[in-house]
Amino acid sequence: MEAVAPRVVVITGVTRGLGRALVDRFVESDCIVCGCGRTSDAVEQLRQAYGSPHRFDVIDVTRADEVSAWALALAGAQLVPDLLINNAALINPSAPLWELAPDDFDRVVDVNLKGVYRVIRSFVPRMIERGRGVIVNVSSGWGRTTAPHVAPYCATKWAVEGLSRSLSHELPQGLASVAVNPGMIDTDMLRCCFGDGAAGYPTAEVWSRRAAPFFLRLTAAENGASLDVH
């Protein structure tokens, strides 16, 4: 029987939080994991932990040239994603919208929304050429509801929901675009809003043991869905 090639998982924002925990789970699931982040020390730690065929690069999703070069390098190594996860995100400093500095607003939009676009633009054409693959855009409960003092974050996650669904109508058969709400997890991001109350939720490591199999079960049949990790 011919051996089945391992699935290639490409994920942004792997240096901490949900992304870092998912790396461990996908490696344990015998996937080839290609990840990026902005923190060079954390990326180097991942390289030391997981060598070839896995690959980790210092990439800033707010820079189109870096994202494009990353996708080209992976394609040159025959690492076109079977599962592409747009995970990189940040949250604004807690404040009423009219008090938020323009730079803080721009930074959230540039990472959470425009970063998703840049990754899709760079990777999806090759997935289409191959004829298969699932694109997961990580949303939030705040992409379907709202809360005070996090308007920019809510706005970008609502946009991710709409972008994901619109993209689903454009993809050819065999591919899928889905928005996924990961749920409430005890991360640095949640602690920015909830403080010590974040400790009442699962850690990223615990969450990842449920989330990674969930992501790996996704198929083209889920195209256009807005899902929750369960």
Side-chain angles (χ1 to χ4, degrees):
M1 181 180 296
E2 186 176 350
V4 177
R7 279 186 282 184
V8 176
V9 177
V10 173
I11 180 169
T12 64
V14 297
T15 56
R16 62 179 184 172
L18 308 188
R20 179 62 186 85
L22 283 173
V23 167
D24 293 339
R25 304 291 85 76
F26 288 135
V27 171
E28 291 169 2
S29 299
D30 297 322
C31 299
I32 296 174
V33 183
C34 302
C36 76
R38 292 189 293 182
T39 308
S40 57
D41 289 349
V43 169
E44 182 58 32
Q45 289 173 10
L46 281 164
R47 290 172 177 165
Q48 294 296 323
Y50 299 118
S52 180
H54 312 292
R55 175 167 174 162
F56 301 97
D57 293 285
V58 179
I59 303 293
D60 184 345
V61 297
T62 70
R63 296 186 57 87
D65 56 340
E66 292 186 11
V67 176
S68 177
W70 184 44
L72 182 63
L74 294 187
Q78 304 301 308
L79 295 171
V80 175
D82 297 291
L83 177 61
L84 174 64
I85 303 179
N86 273 303
N87 167 71
L90 52 81
I91 199 164
N92 58 278
S94 182
L97 182 60
W98 61 89
E99 294 181 2
L100 195 69
D103 286 349
D104 289 328
F105 188 97
D106 290 346
R107 194 173 298 112
V108 173
V109 172
D110 211 20
V111 173
N112 296 11
L113 180 57
K114 294 169 70 176
V116 171
Y117 156 72
R118 294 182 189 102
V119 171
I120 288 171
R121 184 175 184 273
S122 297
F123 281 92
V124 169
R126 294 179 179 90
M127 298 170 70
I128 291 173
E129 288 176 5
R130 193 188 51 193
R132 69 176 189 274
V134 175
I135 303 135
V136 172
N137 299 315
V138 177
S139 180
S140 170
W142 284 340
R144 301 168 193 172
T145 61
T146 56
H149 297 172
V150 286
Y153 182 81
C154 291
T156 58
K157 292 304 185 179
W158 277 75
V160 162
E161 292 275 337
L163 180 149
S164 301
R165 190 167 297 182
S166 293
L167 176 61
S168 74
H169 297 300
E170 301 168 349
L171 294 173
Q173 187 173 3
L175 278 79
S177 166
V178 299
V180 175
N181 168 24
M184 304 287 278
I185 307 102
D186 182 7
T187 62
D188 291 342
M189 185 180 292
L190 191 67
R191 286 180 176 268
C192 288
C193 302
F194 285 31
D196 291 342
Y201 296 96
T203 64
E205 197 278 336
V206 168
W207 170 86
S208 69
R209 296 189 180 278
R210 183 174 76 254
F214 171 85
F215 287 129
L216 292 172
R217 287 194 299 268
L218 295 174
T219 69
E222 280 81 34
N223 188 36
S226 290
L227 304 173
D228 300 274
V229 172
H230 55 77

